[in-house]
């Protein structure tokens, strides 16, 4: 099939590349000519495992094209995916002006029928808005069909999530569009759920909000565990063995970050509000998420007392492993709180330091974990990179001034750390320091 994907951010780039790898001819469009130039040279503008070789392979095979010429792409393809950004406005609503602009361009350009697919995360009823725009600016009287096909990929495993999805949701109002999209995805042999457009739109916000709720729930349990001496890891394991609950997304820590969960939870609260529902549950999910950062810093202060001029080593800055994404990373809030108390931060992250430089000021970026830990009074793990699990902690402990270890992701083996002589503190799991 011939496909256009408008927007080469995470979602558009991964979707376009994977569609090409499935054998389709794909035009990925962006207004950023620098980015398009880079992509045409086979270089990936984001850190995403497995994506760059896939781009290279499909560009070489002449199935994947990067262009700024949206009109040409529209004219050469029947299915057009809108994957442009929907960033939050200052009031928390999603800014849909990029989506509207693309819809308008499609309407003004197309001379033959098109299927227009929303791939970006959008509020319910955006499909209706897109259909209205397509009708309004339609000089050639073209028939447009609007489909909602939300994306569920995670950064760090985006290619796999796209090619081996749990489910594909296709919200279409016409049989023709349903059939076309069904055919497009059929090579993936995944479960496809066909719905109406509005239900598909809500599925995306409801799924992300539910996952965020699961994280805040286990974080609340972690706090109870901290205050009672129970071990949240065992509690989560016991809960997760119930098939109705499931074990995923029950890892407590310093709270969720990234561009999707914070933005989507806020947007869903606003959407609900506009429809007359006060989503108190999600407001509390946000509260708990913010509180996790403060609880973590409080733990540090309880052990180190005054932080002024104390050297603190931070391992991990990205909002999660396998990405260089710093958007809404918990590390930003935590480092700020520590700096406000006068702490000196020495940080290391395997890939996110370049991006972190524009988000976090006044810290020392180190070339490796050992350099960051030297003479530190405390070591904080804020992202659970595999690299950190394989560090020589004996060597690290020997180079530190005092041996406090705060594991914000519960990713280290607490017993081993204690046996090495660390004073270990997890989230909801104290590692039995007092035994
Ligand atoms: C998320 C959704 O998973 C994906 O389906 C959607 O399309 C985009 O948003 P992403 O933001 O890439 O993906 O990351 P994800 O792996 O879901 O993690 C989000 C945040 O939650 C991270 O900060 C992570 O550290 C945190 N998290 C996740 C926890 O704190 N505990 C968990 O158990 C799981």
């Amino acid at each position: 099939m011939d496909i256009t994907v408008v927007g080469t951010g995470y979602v558009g780039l991964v979707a376009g590349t994977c569609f090409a790898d499935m054998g389709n001819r794909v035009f990925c469009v962006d207004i950023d000519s620098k980015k398009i130039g880079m992509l045409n040279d086979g270089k990936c503008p984001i850190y995403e495992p497995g994506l760059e070789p896939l781009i290279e392979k499909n560009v070489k095979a002449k199935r994947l094209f990067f262009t700024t010429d949206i009109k040409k792409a529209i004219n050469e393809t029947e299915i057009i995916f809108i994957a442009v950004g929907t960033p939050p406005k200052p009031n928390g609503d999603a800014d849909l002006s990029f989506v509207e602009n693309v819809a308008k361009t499609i309407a003004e350009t197309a001379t033959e029928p098109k299927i227009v697919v929303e791939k970006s995360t959008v509020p319910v009823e955006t499909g209706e808005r897109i259909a209205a725009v397509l009708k309004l600016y339609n000089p050639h009287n073209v028939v447009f069909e609007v489909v909602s096909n939300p994306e569920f990929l995670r950064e760090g495993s985006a290619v796999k999530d796209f090619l081996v999805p749990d489910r594909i949701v296709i919200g279409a109002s016409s049989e023709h569009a349903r059939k076309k999209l069904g055919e497009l995805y059929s090579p993936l042999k995944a479960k496809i759920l066909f719905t109406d457009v509005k239900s598909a739109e809500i599925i995306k916000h409801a799924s992300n909000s539910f996952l965020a709720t699961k994280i805040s729930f286990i974080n609340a349990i972690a706090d109870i565990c901290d205050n009672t001496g129970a071990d949240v890891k065992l509690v989560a394991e016991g809960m997760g063995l119930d098939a109705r609950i499931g074990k995923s997304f029950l890892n407590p820590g310093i709270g969720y970050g990234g561009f999707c969960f914070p933005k989507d939870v806020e947007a869903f609260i606003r959407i609900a509000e506009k429809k007359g529902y006060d989503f108190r549950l999600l407001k509390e999910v946000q509260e708990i998420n913010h509180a996790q950062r403060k609880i973590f810093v409080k733990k540090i202060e309880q052990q180190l007392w005054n932080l002024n001029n104390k050297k603190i080593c931070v391992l991990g800055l990205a909002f999660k492993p396998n990405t260089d994404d710093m958007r809404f990373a918990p590390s930003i809030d935590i480092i700020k709180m520590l700096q406000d108390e006068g702490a000196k931060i020495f940080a290391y992250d395997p890939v996110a330091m370049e991006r972190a430089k524009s988000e976090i000021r006044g810290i020392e970026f180190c070339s490796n974990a050992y350099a960051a830990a030297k003479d530190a009074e405390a070591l904080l793990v804020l992202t659970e990179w595999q690299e950190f699990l394989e560090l020589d902690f004996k060597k690290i402990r020997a180079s530190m001034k005092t041996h406090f270890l705060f594991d914000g992701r519960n990713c280290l083996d607490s017993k081993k750390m204690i046996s090495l002589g660390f004073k270990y503190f997890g989230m909801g799991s104290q590692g039995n320091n007092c035994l």
Side-chain angles (χ1 to χ4, degrees), residues 375-389:
D375 296 327
E377 310 225 9
L379 188 137
L380 322 182
V381 179
L382 302 189
T383 317
E384 65 275 39
W385 284 96
Q386 182 63 30
E387 180 180 322
F388 299 157
L389 313 188

Side-chain angles (χ1 to χ4, degrees), residues 152-155 204 249 251 256-257 260 319-320 409:
F152 301 102
L153 54 82
R154 289 162 297 179
E155 292 181 21
K204 172 69 192 202
F249 277 72
N251 299 326
Y256 60 78
C260 290
F319 84 95
K320 66 172 197 175
R409 298 294 187 174

Side-chain angles (χ1 to χ4, degrees), residues 109-136:
T109 310
T111 50
E112 282 168 25
K114 306 282 172 195
I115 298 174
V116 178
V117 191
E118 329 166 318
K119 198 68 172 154
S120 312
T121 301
V122 290
V124 62
E125 295 175 344
T126 301
E128 283 180 355
R129 291 281 185 181
I130 292 175
V133 170
L134 291 168
K135 209 168 162 194
L136 193 64

Side-chain angles (χ1 to χ4, degrees), residues 10-11 121 151-157 161 167 204 207-208 211-212 214-215 218-219 247-262 264 289 293 318-321 323 325 328-330 382-384 409:
Y10 254 103
V11 170
T121 301
E151 190 47 64
F152 301 102
L153 54 82
R154 289 162 297 179
E155 292 181 21
S157 56
D161 287 345
R167 82 308 205 179
K204 172 69 192 202
S207 299
N208 273 0
L211 291 170
K214 228 178 153 184
I215 298 170
I218 200 65
N219 279 333
K247 65 180 171 45
S248 62
F249 277 72
L250 285 182
N251 299 326
I254 48 182
Y256 60 78
F259 197 50
C260 290
F261 284 176
D264 292 353
N289 197 52
R293 276 88 152 146
F319 84 95
K320 66 172 197 175
T323 177
D325 201 337
F328 299 104
L382 302 189
T383 317
E384 65 275 39
R409 298 294 187 174

Side-chain angles (χ1 to χ4, degrees), residues 345-360:
I345 310 295
F346 289 69
Y348 168 71
D349 186 286
V351 304
M353 289 200 287
E354 246 346 277
R355 286 193 182 222
K357 281 176 189 162
S358 53
E359 298 276 354
I360 308 171

Side-chain angles (χ1 to χ4, degrees), residues 311 313 346 369-377 379 396 399-401:
K311 176 175 173 179
C313 163
F346 289 69
Y370 302 102
K374 193 170 177 306
D375 296 327
E377 310 225 9
L379 188 137
I396 288 191
S399 75
M400 288 173 68
K401 203 179 261 176

Side-chain angles (χ1 to χ4, degrees), residues 220-242:
I221 302 292
D223 296 340
I224 298 172
C225 289
D226 264 342
N227 295 331
T228 54
D231 185 342
V232 74
K233 285 189 185 174
L234 297 174
V235 175
E237 191 182 345
M239 288 168 64
L241 284 170
D242 186 327

